[in-house]
Structure formats: C-alpha cells, structure tokens
Amino acid sequence: MIDVTFDNFYSLDSKTRKKYINDIEILKSMIKSNVSEHRYLHSLSVADTCKALAKTNNVDEDKAYLAGLLHDCCKFSDDKLYILEEYLKYYDPKKLNGITGAYHSWVGKYYLKEKLNFHDKDILNAIYNHTICDSNDKLSIILYIADKREPLRNIDDGILELAHIDLMKAYRLLKYDVKKYLEENNERFVETSV
C-alpha cells in the first residue's frame, strides 16, 4: 500500500479513493503528512472534543469527529502562506483581508473539495467557520469551541464544561473572551454577531 497524501489522492483509482475517503485511519495519516506533529496532535484532540460535545448536544458524532480531524488540514508553516493566498485569490478573494490567522480555515473548505472531492456541506461549513465563527450552526459552534478549548491547550476556564450543558452560552462567553484577547494583543479580527 502506498502512503496516501492530499497530493497523490487523485492518482488512486476511483474505487480506492471512495474506500479511503471513509477510512479514518487513512485520513489521520493524510493529516499527519500535511501538518506539523504539534498540529496533528491538536487535530486529534479537537476531533475527540468535538465528538464528546456532539454527543451531549444531539449532533452527529461522526461528522463532529471528522470536522475536528480535518479542521486544520491547511495550517501550514508561515513559509507556505502563499499557498493559502493563491486559494483565496481564486475561490474567495474578499477574504484576502490580512487576517492571515484565519486563512487556513477559509481555504480548508476549498482545499478539501479540490484535493479529496469532499463535499459534506455541514463539515465544510464548520471548517470554514472554525477560527472566526459566523454561523449559528451547532456543528460550527462545536468545532469553534473545541478548537479553542481542547485539553492540550490547558485552558481551564469552564467554557468546555459549560458547552456540554449550554452550548450557546459557552459560545457567547468564548466569543467575548476571544474578542477581548485579540483587542488586548492589538490583533485584527472580524466583528461578528452572536
């Protein structure tokens, strides 16, 4: 068996591609080959956190896990920022706004469509929104919270626990917390309503 990557996925025959797109272990291997070890471990932790949050919030657990696993598939090193910019120029030029920390989430949607022919709208929407959440969709909110509060981040502010009880309240508190953090660090952000 060859090592399957995002770049060689389309060299496989269609039957093998269909099989591999539904194989979590293959997808994990593909993610691992595309990002740093730190980012890979973060993705696994986010996937587990998404699944747990999905269970307590009546959201499809498999979709939540997959969204968490794939959410940072485009979180490349800074020297590859040009790849993200090229995708945005082609697919979503209005997003070329200098908020480079969010580029990977916006590009992830198009990257997965192009590289894997992946078309689950719920998962793609969640990935697109995971850095600056502009959606009231539960899966998007779960991924947003899981990304910012997965256990490897070691942030114990109660938001993750609250999300199991009251997802929207946890979301609003986290959005406020993130906005405050960005303002204190003089970082750009996009205003969104909750």
Side-chain angles (χ1 to χ4, degrees), residues 24-96:
I24 292 294
E25 294 307 314
I26 295 287
L27 291 174
K28 285 180 183 178
S29 175
M30 291 172 72
I31 295 295
K32 190 172 189 172
S33 72
N34 222 42
V35 298
S36 70
E37 181 69 14
H38 167 78
R39 187 63 44 198
Y40 174 68
L41 294 174
H42 165 72
S43 296
L44 293 177
S45 185
V46 170
D48 290 338
T49 304
C50 281
K51 187 171 184 171
L53 286 172
K55 184 174 185 174
T56 57
N57 286 285
N58 298 315
V59 173
D60 185 308
E61 293 174 49
D62 294 331
K63 279 190 176 193
Y65 184 88
L66 198 51
L69 181 65
L70 296 172
H71 83 285
D72 272 353
C73 66
C74 292
K75 187 78 170 185
F76 306 133
S77 57
D78 287 344
D79 64 329
K80 292 186 178 179
L81 181 62
Y82 70 93
I83 295 170
L84 303 179
E85 290 172 341
E86 289 302 315
Y87 268 90
L88 288 176
K89 281 179 193 174
Y90 185 76
Y91 288 108
D92 205 352
K94 69 183 181 305
K95 293 291 187 183
L96 278 169

Side-chain angles (χ1 to χ4, degrees), residues 142-166:
I142 285 170
L143 180 55
Y144 179 79
I145 293 170
D147 180 46
K148 309 243 179 323
R149 291 299 186 266
E150 56 90 359
L152 296 178
R153 290 195 186 264
N154 292 315
I155 301 172
D156 188 14
D157 59 4
I159 287 177
L160 190 56
E161 293 79 11
L162 178 60
H164 286 284
I165 300 164
D166 187 336

Side-chain angles (χ1 to χ4, degrees), residues 74 83-84 87-88 102-112:
C74 292
I83 295 170
L84 303 179
Y87 268 90
L88 288 176
Y103 284 8
H104 74 283
S105 63
W106 299 326
V107 170
K109 172 183 175 178
Y110 307 112
Y111 187 82
L112 289 167

